[in-house]
Amino acid sequence: MLSEAPLPHVLPLASFLDELFFLYSLAGVLAGAVLMMGYQRWKAAAYKIRLAEKADKLMDEANREAEALKTQILLEAKEEALEIKTRGEAELAEARRLQLSREQTLDRRAEQLDNQEADLRKQQRGLENSQQRLDAGLKSLAEQRDELKTLERKQRKVLEAVSGMTRAEAAEQLMKALDEELEHERGKLLLKKKKQINETIKEKSREMLLTAIQRYASAYTADSTTSTVDVPTDDMKGRIIGREGRNIRAFEKATGIDVIIDDTPGVVIVSGFDPVRREIARRSLANLIADGRIHPSKIEEVVEETKQQINELIIQKGREAADEVDVPGLSDRLIEMLGRLHFRTSYSQNVLRHSVEVAFLSGMIAEMLGMRGDVARRCGLLHDIGKAADHELEGGHPKIGADLLRRHNESPEVVHAALGHHDEIVVEHPYTMVVATADACSASRPGARRESLERYIKRMEELESIARRFEGVREAYAISAGRELRVIIDSTTTSDEQAAVVCHEIAKAFERELLYPGEIKVTVLRETAFTEVAK
């Protein structure tokens, strides 16, 4: 049996193989380690590259964001600078406009002062010329009086020389002269009785008018329409004007009314000839100021709404007036025209209230005279209807009103009352005279109409200056708001008959030279008083 011991030559080979395997294993391990280290280095290098790329990317994004932020900041700065520049230019333009407006106002005031000074100089020259003419006339009159006395003395001497009359003949001539004087006195007595009768008639008519006025007892007839709108601040004026004036142009185009904005604090003026349009503009502007939103579209909206409100108010006022005086059956057009009178004034007297008052007075006077009161009230209510359209049509308001009433089939009495209530035509209907009387009572009674202070003073001065032009007048005083003038006559140079003539001539001079509503009473005082009425 063979032994299982290894062969001697096999042992070295196995050992070699083991060493070789170990070397290969060691080499593999070293190679793996080298490969692992290379892989780790490659991975680290790749990660480092990615970090660098990511850092570059973040840097680029940061740069882009910085550039965008820088651009945005620059744009905002430019916009803010542009806005500041625009605001500054607007404020500068507004300041220049206000300065120009102030300069124009000062120029107008200076021009007015120059005109007033020129008028005063002209009046002074006129007074000096009148004084010179008066002095020349007085001198001429004195010369003529002296010449007349001289001729009278000469004539008396000649008559005494050539008469050769007896005492009886002289007495007969004296009696004849006395008869002529008595005839003259009888004529004066007849004139005095006639004057007393006229005064009695005037007294009765005055009682009738006073009774009618007292029965009516109107609270007021005077009214005033404003053309100004209050603004809370001066900044609101700029908003009303708008950028480059677009708001104010849109407002004026929508209303047809001019808007005047000056340096007067807290007030804006609306100016226009049509009273209804002016009222629409005033209310629209007040509504816009209260609302605060002022731009062209809002302006058109508010103006349209206000027009509808005013139209409704016009119809309402016309119907209320017709119902108040019990005048039925008026056409819609006449109702509208009657309501438009609510916005019309005459010497600050509301024309609609004046028409209502005339209607009441006409009806009462007609009933006292035994006439139809309903016809008189209709005539009185519609007598001034032409004033609602006299700014749109040619001619005076009597003719316009008569044509309007004729087109709407009103009776001849009503048409004639509208046409002739100012005594411009021959009176054909008694109702016309009744309406004219009531119209004078309503317009001339104290408190019915108001005048400005300048016009009031001018009227008083004109009355007194006209009266002082007449010979023998020492002083003249206008009283009762210019409705009465009292004249003091020099009793040493003027007789009672001459004083009566002066009183009459002063009244006629007022009628020729002045325009005024109602009547002016002229009273001349000497030893007796003489009174005339200028109508």
Side-chain angles (χ1 to χ4, degrees), residues 59 63 68 70 108 115 139 188 203 225 227 231 286 505:
M59 184 64 68
N63 291 333
K70 178 181 177 182
R108 287 196 298 269
N115 294 334
K139 183 177 180 181
K188 290 175 63 177
E203 185 67 26
T225 57
S227 296
V231 293
E505 289 179 352

Side-chain angles (χ1 to χ4, degrees), residues 443-445 459 479-485 517-521:
S444 61
R445 68 180 180 83
R459 177 181 176 183
I479 60 176
S480 299
R483 301 190 183 280
E484 183 177 355
L485 181 76
E519 299 177 345
I520 299 176
K521 183 179 180 181

Side-chain angles (χ1 to χ4, degrees), residues 148-438:
L148 182 61
K149 289 181 179 179
T150 303
L151 291 175
E152 185 180 357
R153 287 195 299 268
K154 290 181 180 180
Q155 186 178 11
R156 188 182 298 112
K157 291 180 180 180
V158 172
L159 288 175
E160 289 176 355
V162 301
S163 62
M165 291 188 300
T166 63
R167 186 181 181 88
E169 290 175 348
E172 184 180 356
Q173 288 189 1
L174 181 60
M175 292 300 295
K176 184 178 180 180
L178 289 175
D179 288 338
E180 292 178 354
E181 186 176 354
L182 289 174
E183 184 72 21
H184 179 67
E185 291 294 332
R186 184 170 60 183
K188 290 175 63 177
L189 183 61
L190 290 175
L191 290 175
K192 183 177 179 181
K193 292 296 183 182
K194 182 179 179 181
K195 185 176 181 180
Q196 290 177 353
I197 292 172
N198 290 333
E199 289 177 354
T200 302
I201 294 174
K202 289 181 180 179
E203 185 67 26
K204 293 295 183 183
S205 62
R206 190 178 295 112
E207 288 181 5
M208 183 182 297
L209 294 177
L210 289 175
T211 302
I213 293 173
Q214 289 173 355
R215 286 177 59 193
Y216 174 58
S218 173
Y220 66 91
T221 60
D223 195 8
S224 62
T225 57
T226 181
S227 296
T228 61
V229 179
D230 296 332
V231 293
T233 60
D234 288 340
D235 294 339
M236 183 60 69
K237 292 184 178 181
R239 297 178 61 184
I240 294 172
I241 296 172
R243 179 171 295 179
E244 298 179 355
R246 63 175 186 175
N247 290 344
I248 193 171
R249 287 197 300 269
F251 186 84
E252 291 178 346
K253 181 179 179 181
T255 59
I257 293 296
D258 296 331
V259 179
I260 302 174
I261 300 178
D262 54 16
D263 55 350
T264 304
V267 172
V268 173
I269 301 174
V270 291
S271 174
F273 191 72
D274 190 330
V276 177
R277 287 184 181 179
R278 188 170 63 247
E279 180 65 15
I280 292 173
R282 188 188 68 81
R283 293 194 180 193
S284 299
L285 189 56
N287 292 335
L288 286 170
I289 292 173
D291 185 82
R293 295 174 295 173
I294 303 178
H295 50 82
S297 60
K298 184 65 176 180
I299 289 172
E300 294 177 358
E301 177 184 353
V302 171
V303 169
E304 193 62 31
E305 292 176 355
T306 307
K307 285 181 180 179
Q308 296 177 1
Q309 295 173 1
I310 293 296
N311 291 334
E312 294 173 359
L313 180 62
I314 287 173
I315 300 299
Q316 177 186 350
K317 290 294 182 180
R319 288 175 179 169
E320 288 177 354
D323 294 338
E324 185 177 355
V325 296
D326 193 17
V327 176
L330 293 177
S331 65
D332 294 339
R333 177 59 174 168
L334 291 181
I335 289 289
E336 179 186 356
M337 299 299 285
L338 198 61
R340 291 174 70 90
L341 294 179
H342 174 71
F343 300 100
R344 175 69 187 267
T345 58
S346 177
Y347 295 95
S348 299
Q349 186 179 30
N350 186 282
V351 178
L352 180 59
R353 298 311 307 166
H354 165 69
S355 299
V356 171
E357 181 174 332
V358 171
F360 276 117
L361 293 176
S362 300
M364 294 175 187
I365 295 173
E367 290 170 355
M368 292 180 186
L369 296 175
M371 300 164 61
R372 292 181 58 186
D374 57 340
V375 176
R377 286 195 300 274
R378 196 179 193 93
C379 294
L381 181 65
L382 300 176
H383 79 286
D384 270 345
I385 195 72
K387 287 187 178 180
D390 60 354
H391 58 284
E392 300 174 350
L393 303 174
E394 275 189 23
H397 74 272
K399 182 179 182 302
I400 295 173
D403 294 338
L404 180 66
L405 296 173
R406 193 179 294 111
R407 287 197 302 269
H408 288 83
N409 301 320
E410 289 293 331
S411 63
E413 293 85 358
V414 178
V415 175
H416 194 271
L419 185 61
H421 68 277
H422 284 312
D423 297 330
E424 297 176 352
I425 60 173
V426 178
V427 176
E428 298 177 359
H429 297 280
Y431 292 99
T432 303
M433 185 58 66
V434 171
V435 171
T437 303

Side-chain angles (χ1 to χ4, degrees), residues 82-129:
L82 181 61
E83 183 179 355
I84 293 173
K85 180 181 178 182
T86 303
R87 191 183 309 115
E89 291 176 351
E91 291 176 353
L92 181 60
E94 180 66 17
R96 289 176 178 174
R97 188 191 64 77
L98 292 176
Q99 181 66 24
L100 180 61
S101 176
R102 294 190 184 96
E103 291 177 356
Q104 292 176 350
T105 302
L106 291 176
D107 291 340
R108 287 196 298 269
R109 291 177 180 173
E111 184 178 358
Q112 290 176 356
L113 291 175
D114 293 338
N115 294 334
Q116 291 177 358
E117 184 179 0
D119 292 340
L120 290 175
R121 287 197 298 268
K122 184 177 179 181
Q123 292 177 4
Q124 184 177 3
R125 288 195 299 270
L127 290 175
E128 292 174 355
N129 294 334

Side-chain angles (χ1 to χ4, degrees), residues 455-486:
R455 293 183 60 185
Y456 173 82
I457 295 175
K458 183 178 179 181
R459 177 181 176 183
M460 304 284 276
E461 292 176 348
E462 286 178 346
L463 293 175
E464 295 174 355
S465 63
I466 291 174
R468 292 193 183 99
R469 294 203 308 249
F470 291 89
E471 182 181 0
V473 175
R474 286 195 307 177
E475 293 293 341
Y477 302 97
I479 60 176
S480 299
R483 301 190 183 280
E484 183 177 355
L485 181 76
R486 294 189 180 178

